[in-house]
Amino acid sequence: MEKLDAILHSDAGKAQFLRFVLNGCFSAGVHYAVYLLCQLFIEVNTSYAIGYIVSFLVNYFTTTYFTFHTTPSWKRFIGFSGSHGVNFLLHIVLFWACMQIGINRFIAPVIVMGIAMLVQFTILHFVFKK
């Protein structure tokens, strides 16, 4: 958390974090919309995973161009994919836990996305800026 704190104390870091939050909200909206649509036809855990994958693809390009003002590269894509692999596991475990303790299936994704956001920003900052 010390590195995140240092990033957020600079003006450029604050602007970058704001773009990250906006991009995250957009990507979360894509994730949630696909999840809601898919669950009309398939089970909720699979719907959630499909939503995540679709939002992942959208998120890579919006993160590259909008959040970090960089260009796509295989190295960044691999780093982005690795960070999202960790994030995906975090999402699945937290979503499963929410379902187990009886949190409403429409509220659980919002809780999960909020928890995962700060972890993801810290990882992606180093993928795109180092």
Side-chain angles (χ1 to χ4, degrees):
M1 291 309 273
E2 198 172 298
K3 297 222 186 249
L4 177 61
D5 189 49
I7 294 165
L8 295 178
H9 275 87
S10 72
D11 288 339
K14 289 175 187 173
Q16 192 176 79
F17 185 73
L18 177 60
R19 290 190 308 270
F20 175 82
V21 170
L22 292 172
N23 183 44
C25 289
F26 174 72
S27 296
V30 169
H31 183 178
Y32 195 65
V34 172
Y35 162 73
L36 289 175
L37 179 64
C38 287
Q39 71 174 288
L40 296 173
F41 308 102
I42 54 181
E43 118 12 266
V44 295
N45 288 304
T46 304
S47 298
Y48 192 81
I50 290 170
Y52 187 92
I53 292 165
V54 171
S55 74
F56 168 84
L57 296 172
V58 170
N59 195 354
Y60 173 69
F61 290 102
T62 55
T63 296
T64 299
Y65 291 115
F66 176 69
T67 302
F68 294 106
H69 297 157
T70 59
T71 55
S73 71
W74 282 110
K75 182 178 178 181
R76 288 187 179 116
F77 183 75
I78 291 167
F80 185 84
S81 298
S83 74
H84 274 270
V86 170
N87 197 30
F88 179 73
L89 291 175
L90 181 61
H91 272 254
I92 295 303
V93 168
L94 291 174
F95 184 74
W96 176 85
C98 286
M99 294 292 99
Q100 295 306 303
I101 62 174
I103 294 175
N104 181 284
R105 65 187 175 122
F106 297 106
I107 302 297
V110 176
I111 294 168
V112 171
M113 290 174 197
I115 292 170
M117 181 181 65
L118 289 176
V119 173
Q120 188 68 358
F121 176 74
T122 303
I123 294 169
L124 287 178
H125 175 79
F126 292 103
V127 167
F128 283 91
K129 292 297 182 179
K130 297 291 179 188

